[in-house]
Amino acid sequence: MSASGIPLQAHLVIDNSLIVLLQEYWCETYLIRVSSHDRVSAAKHWLAELLAILASFTPDGLIHCTDCVAGEYKPQAGRLGQVTGISHQDCRAFANYISSLLHQTHIDDDEIRFLRTLPDAPKRLIDPGGVSDSDLSLLVLGARLSGGNAPVYVLTHDQDLLDFTSWTRTRITARAKWPYLLHVEGLLGLTYLENVHRDCRISTQEMQSILNFTMIEHYVRTDIRNSQKGKSIMQQLTTINTNLVQSAQIKTRGVAA
Amino acid sequence: MTTLSGPLDNFVSEFTASLSQHGGDAALRRINAERLLRLIADQMVEQHQAEQIRVLSDYRFVGEAGADFLFQVDDYDIRLQFIDAPDSRTSLKADQLPAFAALLEDNPSTIALVLVWTSDDMLALPLSIARLRYLTQHPDRLNKIGGDIKPLADILRALVSQQTKQWDISLEQTPRSTARPADIRRLFEGIIREAIERERHRSYRYEERKQAAHEFPLKEEQRVILDVLREALEGVSATDLVPRLTRVSRRGVK
C-alpha cells in the first residue's frame, strides 16, 4: 500500500514520452560514468530495472502500450544518438529491447475516431496540433483495461492527452461505450514516478536528480530573458523542493514502519 | 491563453495535490478538476478576448489570503475555491463560511468567490460577501443552496456577463439604401447617449469606480462609437470594426 499520495496499485499504460524522459536523464547523468563499450547495455539495464519497479505495482505485472506508440520510440533522436561510438543500429536494438518490455496492443482506427468525434470536444485538443491518433490509442487502451477494480493510469507528458483524458471521463457517450471509464486517470509520468518513489527502492536522491534534470530541460527551452517568468520559476522551484522534502519524510516513515 | 498551462506548473499542481489532499482518490479528483478548469478557462479566454481574462494559481501568489485560483477579468476578479466531492456530493458546512468571508473582505476587487466541487461535472456555487453574511446568520439556509449550484462554465459566463455592458446591436451588415443610414445614425446616437447617461448615474460601491465613472471621457468615447457606426454604414466590414468597439468596453484604455 502507498504510504501517502495517489493509489499506486493500478494498470499502467505508458506513453513513450516518459521513456524518452528517463532515457535522456540516464544519458545526462550516467553516460560519462560508464565505459564506452558498456553504455548501451548499462542504459538498457537501468531503464529495464525502472520499468520492472513500475510493473511491480500493477495487478497484471505488465506495462501496457499500443503498437503504434511503441513504434514511434526513436532513441536515436535524443542524446543517445549523439554519443560517439553508439551507432544508429545500436539505437534501433535499444528501441527493440525497450519495446519488448512493453505489452503492446493494436487499437483499431474506428475506436480512435470515436474519441475524436465525441460531441463538443474542445477544439484546441482535437484540431491539428492537439492530440494525435497515437495519443488517443493510449486512451482507448486505458478504457479497455478499465473493467477491473484497479484504476488505470495513462502515464504521459503530453498535456493535451492528459486534458483530453480528464474531459472524456465526463462524457456520457464515452461512458456508455466504456462503463468503467471513470477508473481511467491521466497522470504525468513524473507524478506517478514520484509517488512510487515513496514506496520503493528508488532513492529520494535519484528522484531529486530526475526532477532537477526535468526542470533544467524545461528552463533551457524557455526563453526566460525576455519573459516575466522569473518569479513564477522561483515559485515552481520552491514548491517542488518543499514538496520533495515532505515526500521524503513520507518515504522515511514508510521505511521505518 | 491562461497562465496555468506550463509543463512544470502542471507537475507542481499534481505533485502538490498528491501531498495536500486527504487521500489518494481526493488527489485524483483534484488533478482532474484542475484540468477541466483549464479547459473551461481556455474557452472563456477565447470567447471574451476583450476582457483579457487571466487565470492564476492564487494560493501560490498570495498564500493564506488567496483561494485556489484567481480569474482576473478586466478590472475585477473572481476567485475559485475547490472543495473535494467524494461521490459527487455538493455539501457546504457552516464552519467553512468565516474563511470564505474573510477572503472576500481581504480582496475588495473580487466580485465573487466561486466554490467548485471536484466532481466530473464541475458543479459550482457563486458567493458574494452579502450572501456569505446571510448564510452565516442563517446556517439553516445552507440546505437550500442546491438550486443555485450549476456547472462552473455557466456560472463564470453569468458572472462575466453581469459585469460587461452588452450592446444589443447586430454587427452584421444591413442592405444599403439612400434613406436608412441617416435614420439609423440618429436612432443609434440617441440610444448611445441614453446608455451612457444611465452608466454615469449608476451607483458604485468602490471609490475608485465612482472616480472612474466621473472621469469617463464621454465626448471621446462617443466620437469613437459614432465613427465606427459611420464606417459601418459606408460598408467597412464588421470584422475590422469589432476590435475598435471592444476597445471601448475596456473603460478608458486607448
Side-chain angles (χ1 to χ4, degrees), chain B residues 66-78:
Chain B
D68 287 324
F69 291 97
L70 173 68
F71 253 66
Q72 286 185 330
V73 191
D74 206 352
D75 61 350
Y76 61 93
D77 50 54
I78 300 164

Side-chain angles (χ1 to χ4, degrees), chain A residues 113-216:
Chain A
R113 205 173 308 119
F114 170 81
L115 283 178
R116 198 177 282 287
T117 54
L118 280 171
D120 305 322
K123 280 176 70 67
R124 174 173 73 78
L125 300 182
I126 55 159
D127 280 356
V131 282
S132 67
D133 284 356
S134 300
D135 296 334
L136 292 177
S137 73
L138 295 172
L139 179 51
V140 172
L141 177 56
R144 280 195 195 173
L145 290 168
S146 65
N149 288 326
V152 182
Y153 294 149
V154 177
L155 303 182
T156 179
H157 283 174
D158 184 324
Q159 191 59 42
D160 284 346
L161 177 57
L162 293 171
D163 289 347
F164 192 81
T165 303
S166 292
W167 177 81
T168 305
R169 288 160 40 96
T170 67
R171 299 292 101 180
I172 294 168
T173 323
R175 284 198 224 168
K177 184 175 174 67
W178 295 295
Y180 297 96
L181 189 61
L182 284 175
H183 291 186
V184 181
E185 305 280 356
L187 275 181
L188 280 170
L190 209 53
T191 303
Y192 184 70
L193 196 63
E194 194 288 318
N195 275 256
V196 159
H197 128 268
R198 303 175 202 173
D199 250 19
C200 74
R201 63 179 184 276
I202 300 173
S203 69
T204 299
Q205 194 182 359
E206 179 96 281
M207 196 63 231
Q208 168 100 62
S209 182
I210 294 172
L211 292 179
N212 287 347
F213 169 77
T214 312
M215 285 189 274
I216 290 165

Side-chain angles (χ1 to χ4, degrees), chain B residues 218-238:
Chain B
L218 180 62
K219 283 185 181 166
E220 175 65 12
E221 298 300 347
Q222 199 167 300
R223 186 187 59 74
V224 171
I225 293 167
L226 295 176
D227 281 353
V228 168
L229 174 67
R230 180 178 48 74
E231 287 177 42
L233 293 172
E234 285 168 4
V236 178
S237 85

Side-chain angles (χ1 to χ4, degrees), chain B residues 37 46 53 247 251:
Chain B
L37 168 66
E46 199 179 318
I53 297 175
R247 194 172 57 186
R251 294 172 213 162

Side-chain angles (χ1 to χ4, degrees), chain B residues 59-70:
Chain B
Y59 197 83
R60 258 185 268 156
F61 279 94
V62 291
E64 294 289 339
D68 287 324
F69 291 97
L70 173 68

Side-chain angles (χ1 to χ4, degrees), chain A residues 105-118:
Chain A
T105 304
H106 177 74
I107 302 295
D108 288 332
D109 288 347
D110 54 346
E111 287 190 282
I112 292 168
R113 205 173 308 119
F114 170 81
L115 283 178
R116 198 177 282 287
T117 54
L118 280 171

Side-chain angles (χ1 to χ4, degrees), chain A residues 5 124 159 162-163 166 169-170 182 185-186 188 191 194-195 198 211 218-219 235-236 239-240 243 250, chain B residues 7-12 14-16 18-19 23-25 27-28 31-32 35-36 38-39 42 60-61 120:
Chain A
R124 174 173 73 78
Q159 191 59 42
L162 293 171
D163 289 347
S166 292
R169 288 160 40 96
T170 67
L182 284 175
E185 305 280 356
L188 280 170
T191 303
E194 194 288 318
N195 275 256
R198 303 175 202 173
L211 292 179
H218 170 68
Y219 297 141
Q235 279 161 345
Q236 285 171 342
T239 312
I240 288 172
N243 284 356
I250 292 167
Chain B
L8 269 187
D9 281 322
N10 298 324
F11 172 64
V12 169
E14 292 190 9
F15 196 0
T16 305
S18 78
L19 288 164
D25 291 332
L28 293 171
I31 289 168
N32 279 308
R35 287 195 202 125
L36 294 174
R38 196 161 34 239
L39 291 175
D42 283 348
R60 258 185 268 156
F61 279 94
D120 282 319

